[in-house]
Amino acid sequence: MAKKGILVWLFSTLTFISLIHLTEAIYALAFNGQTRLLQLYPIINERLQAITPTIYFVATAIATFIFWGITCAVAFENPVEAFLNKILSDAKTQTAVEAQLLEEKSEILDIMNETIESNSQNLAQVKDIIYNVRTEVKELQPLKENVEKIRTELSSLKKEIKKIEEKVQFPSICPACGKPLLPEFKICPYCGEPIKVPSTPVITLKDYK
């Protein structure tokens, strides 16, 4: 406040002095009088007295209006309003910076959203592929079961063929140990039991008829 008071006092004094000179300039211009106030300046009084009344009037009028305007600007300056204006200016600047940051972040979010959408599409394609593979696996499951059945049947068939081969090669079986024997064996080579060859009934021609 002290600084403001000093400025108001200084510029109001300069305004008053300029107004006095303006009054003298009007008097000299209107009544063709002498300019006595310019003689008060000790060093440049001779140069100032050489100025014409018209230039004197214009210069003092401009100086008066300038000093009066500065005085009014300083006197009516409100520090609270200046402080609020500064706060508003800072707030606008901060808002602009935040808006720019928000725009940049929104661009980043848009890029992330596009990436997520692309990844979701790829994931959907992968899910479709997995579903198709599972479907094909389910379709192959009966084939696997059929193959297992065929293998089981082949194994049983091999066993039957093996039994048939054994029966063909060894038509007789030892009644004591159950081992297969050749038809020419009379005694079992495994247990030593005698083999009784069953007699084949002879069918006469009459009975056959």
Side-chain angles (χ1 to χ4, degrees), residues 202-209:
V202 179
I203 301 173
T204 61
L205 184 59
K206 184 178 179 180
D207 294 334
Y208 179 75
K209 291 180 179 180

Side-chain angles (χ1 to χ4, degrees), residues 14-174:
L14 293 175
T15 304
F16 179 72
I17 294 172
S18 298
L19 184 60
I20 293 174
H21 282 284
L22 178 60
T23 304
E24 186 183 27
I26 293 172
Y27 173 76
L29 186 63
F31 300 101
N32 198 13
Q34 295 181 355
T35 56
R36 297 180 180 180
L37 293 176
L38 297 177
Q39 297 176 1
L40 298 176
Y41 301 98
I43 299 174
I44 57 174
N45 53 1
E46 294 180 358
R47 294 181 180 179
L48 292 176
Q49 287 179 0
I51 297 174
T52 60
T54 304
I55 296 175
Y56 185 34
F57 171 75
V58 173
T60 53
I62 293 173
T64 301
F65 281 109
I66 290 174
F67 288 137
W68 176 246
I70 294 173
T71 303
C72 292
V74 174
F76 292 104
E77 182 182 5
N78 190 355
V80 177
E81 184 178 358
F83 178 72
L84 293 176
N85 290 331
K86 184 178 180 181
I87 292 176
L88 290 175
S89 178
D90 294 339
K92 288 181 180 179
T93 304
Q94 186 176 0
T95 303
V97 173
E98 290 178 354
Q100 185 176 1
L101 292 175
L102 183 61
E103 185 177 359
E104 293 177 356
K105 290 181 179 179
S106 64
E107 292 178 356
I108 295 173
L109 290 176
D110 292 337
I111 295 172
M112 292 176 64
N113 189 17
E114 292 177 357
T115 305
I116 291 172
E117 289 180 355
S118 178
N119 292 334
S120 63
Q121 292 177 358
N122 294 331
L123 183 60
Q125 293 178 358
V126 172
K127 286 183 178 179
D128 293 337
I129 293 172
I130 293 173
Y131 177 77
N132 294 330
V133 170
R134 287 181 178 177
T135 304
E136 292 178 357
V137 169
K138 288 181 180 179
E139 292 177 355
L140 292 175
Q141 190 68 26
L143 295 177
K144 183 179 179 181
E145 294 177 356
N146 292 331
V147 170
E148 292 294 333
K149 289 180 180 179
I150 292 172
R151 286 181 179 177
T152 305
E153 292 177 357
L154 286 175
S155 178
S156 301
L157 185 60
K158 286 180 180 180
K159 291 180 180 179
E160 294 294 332
I161 292 172
K162 187 176 181 181
K163 289 180 180 180
I164 293 172
E165 289 178 352
E166 290 179 354
K167 288 182 179 180
V168 171
Q169 292 179 0
F170 307 100
S172 60
I173 298 174
C174 178

